[in-house]
């Protein structure tokens, strides 16, 4: 069975102020995987996502989404940024934020209508935030905002989802709600890429993993490569204890 390639990264190098933070990364991510990117702080995990999404220009290398440059495939991709990275100074309700996710599927000038509103309300219900639909986004907790972002990504009906630390600072029930939705997306054939910190939950949550520390240490199925050797190479200390706990 040949599996389609959702994301391919070739020879990608990214630098800030001439200092490389990602070095010569090659990645082939098959369609339909739920993948964690793991690595220590400053390993370049967020930068990798931003480079794939064209938010940061690499100094070398290329990225393709289903065989084409990202600019041509924008509609296929949804992105949930890191919590707290968005400044909500302007007044917007939770429902408005979710409805923004439908804009990509509308022609320009067209405003979201009944269909988009219904889909947005359904997404809010799915993430357990329907009762907050009229609340100003700035008046929600960080974890609640994270759920709203997830709902917005859901209505985009993308093929590939990128999430930067969706579990950061959320409570246990939000974490379970989020992972269940991510697993549902995988079941629907979507490809989901998540920057993840909790090594303990990697085998339970994900089926694919990329170890990153400026360079790519390893990438592949969790069952084959999530081992002490790769953890030690990535984090520089022995992780046997942490993983086998
Ligand atoms: P991670 O997500 O793995 O914690 P990041 O991709 O955020 O790592 O950062 C990788 C490296 O790039 C770090 O050393 C960080 O300090 C640096 N960095 C990130 N963003 C910027 C920026 N806008 N300007 C300069 N350096 C940055």
């Amino acid at each position: 069975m040949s599996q389609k390639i959702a994301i391919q990264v070739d020879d990608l190098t990214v630098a800030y102020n001439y200092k490389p933070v990602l070095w010569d990364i090659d990645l082939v991510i098959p369609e339909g995987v739920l993948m964690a990117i793991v690595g220590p702080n400053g390993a370049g995990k967020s930068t990798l996502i931003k480079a794939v999404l064209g938010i940061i220009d690499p100094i070398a290398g290329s990225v393709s989404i289903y065989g084409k440059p990202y600019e041509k495939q924008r509609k296929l991709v949804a992105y949930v940024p890191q919590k707290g990275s968005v400044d909500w100074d302007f007044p917007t309700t939770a429902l408005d934020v979710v409805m923004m996710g439908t804009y990509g599927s509308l022609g320009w000038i067209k405003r979201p209508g009944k269909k988009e509103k219904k889909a947005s309300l359904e997404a809010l219900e799915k993430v357990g935030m329907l009762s907050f639909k009229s609340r100003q986004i700035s008046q929600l907790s960080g974890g609640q905002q994270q759920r709203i972002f997830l709902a917005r990504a859901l209505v985009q009906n993308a093929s590939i989802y990128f999430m930067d630390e969706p579990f950061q600072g959320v409570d246990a029930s939000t974490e379970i709600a989020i992972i269940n939705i991510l697993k549902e997306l995988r079941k629907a054939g979507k490809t989901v890429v998540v920057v993840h910190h909790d090594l303990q939950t990697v085998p339970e949550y994900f089926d694919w993993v990329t170890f990153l520390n400026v360079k790519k240490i390893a990438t592949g199925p969790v069952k084959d490569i999530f081992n002490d050797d790769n953890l030690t190479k990535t984090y520089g200390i022995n992780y046997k204890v942490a993983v086998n706990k």
Side-chain angles (χ1 to χ4, degrees), residues 211 217-218 225-240:
F211 289 94
I217 311 294
I225 67 160
F226 193 70
N227 54 39
D228 192 43
D229 185 33
N230 283 327
L231 286 161
T232 305
K233 279 186 193 150
T234 307
Y235 290 87
I237 49 169
N238 195 307
Y239 260 82
K240 204 171 226 156

Side-chain angles (χ1 to χ4, degrees), residues 2-10 27-34 52 62-78 157-162 185-186 188-193:
S2 74
Q3 205 168 4
K4 274 193 204 162
I5 296 170
I7 305 155
Q8 182 156 345
V9 175
D10 292 303
L27 279 180
V28 174
I29 305 172
E31 179 179 57
V33 298
L34 176 44
V52 170
S62 63
V63 173
S64 66
I65 305 286
Y66 284 107
K68 292 185 188 150
Y70 170 73
E71 297 76 54
K72 295 212 158 100
Q73 305 284 48
R74 258 171 218 281
K75 282 187 180 172
L76 300 181
V77 177
N157 195 19
S159 301
I160 302 176
Y161 288 82
F162 289 97
L185 289 171
R186 174 181 56 189
K190 317 281 189 184
T191 307
V192 186
V193 176

Side-chain angles (χ1 to χ4, degrees), residues 16-17 19 21 39-48 82 165 195:
Y16 291 115
N17 312 318
K19 182 175 171 278
V21 295
N41 290 333
K45 304 181 294 296
S46 296
T47 302
L48 176 60
Q82 220 172 72
E165 297 192 37
V195 173

Side-chain angles (χ1 to χ4, degrees), residues 55-131:
I55 299 169
I56 297 173
D57 284 332
I59 55 172
S62 63
V63 173
S64 66
I65 305 286
Y66 284 107
K68 292 185 188 150
Y70 170 73
E71 297 76 54
K72 295 212 158 100
Q73 305 284 48
R74 258 171 218 281
K75 282 187 180 172
L76 300 181
V77 177
Y79 171 46
V80 179
Q82 220 172 72
K83 188 157 70 69
S85 63
V86 180
D87 189 10
W88 293 108
D89 269 346
F90 56 100
T92 323
T93 65
L95 179 59
D96 286 337
V97 173
V98 178
M99 289 227 279
M100 283 173 203
T102 66
Y103 287 9
S105 58
L106 297 169
W108 86 289
I109 293 187
K110 256 181 114 179
R111 291 178 57 81
K114 270 192 187 145
K115 192 171 127 225
E116 287 75 26
K117 187 168 180 189
K118 185 166 172 274
S120 302
L121 291 170
E122 278 168 12
L124 277 170
E125 183 161 34
K126 213 169 197 177
V127 301
M129 290 296 291
L130 189 55
S131 57

